[in-house]
Amino acid sequence: MAILGDQLQRMPAALAHALQMTTPDQIRIVLVESQARLHKRRYQAHKVIFVVSALRHYAAWLRDAGWQVDYYVSPSWR
């Protein structure tokens, strides 16, 4: 399961749906910090730092909540 950077909610619909079928420890979540996506638009440096920080904190929160999380830093999203 992949969660996009604009879906950093406590319980996105995809996770809520998955929980109807299984438990958090049986679901692997993939979060990708895409360098290409961050540089696609002309963001202020502060916004880039905020977005990356939010994604990293979200990954930590999910792990603490019992989810299996893979976090990748990649040149592109693919």
Side-chain angles (χ1 to χ4, degrees):
M1 171 178 301
I3 298 175
L4 301 176
D6 62 352
Q7 298 174 338
L8 306 181
Q9 307 164 10
R10 291 282 182 191
M11 187 57 62
L15 292 183
H17 179 71
L19 281 177
Q20 294 175 0
M21 297 177 275
T22 189
T23 58
D25 61 328
Q26 296 179 343
I27 300 170
R28 182 165 303 279
I29 298 170
V30 176
L31 297 172
V32 179
E33 182 182 312
S34 168
Q35 299 301 306
R37 185 70 175 159
L38 291 172
H39 297 293
K40 185 175 181 177
R41 294 187 182 154
R42 300 186 90 192
Y43 292 120
Q44 290 183 339
H46 290 92
K47 181 171 182 169
V48 172
I49 291 168
F50 177 75
V51 169
V52 169
S53 176
L55 193 58
R56 292 177 182 180
H57 280 88
Y58 188 67
W61 177 83
L62 287 170
R63 285 187 190 107
D64 290 346
W67 299 90
Q68 293 185 54
V69 179
D70 292 334
Y71 189 94
Y72 297 100
V73 178
S74 173
S76 69
W77 198 78
R78 296 174 190 218

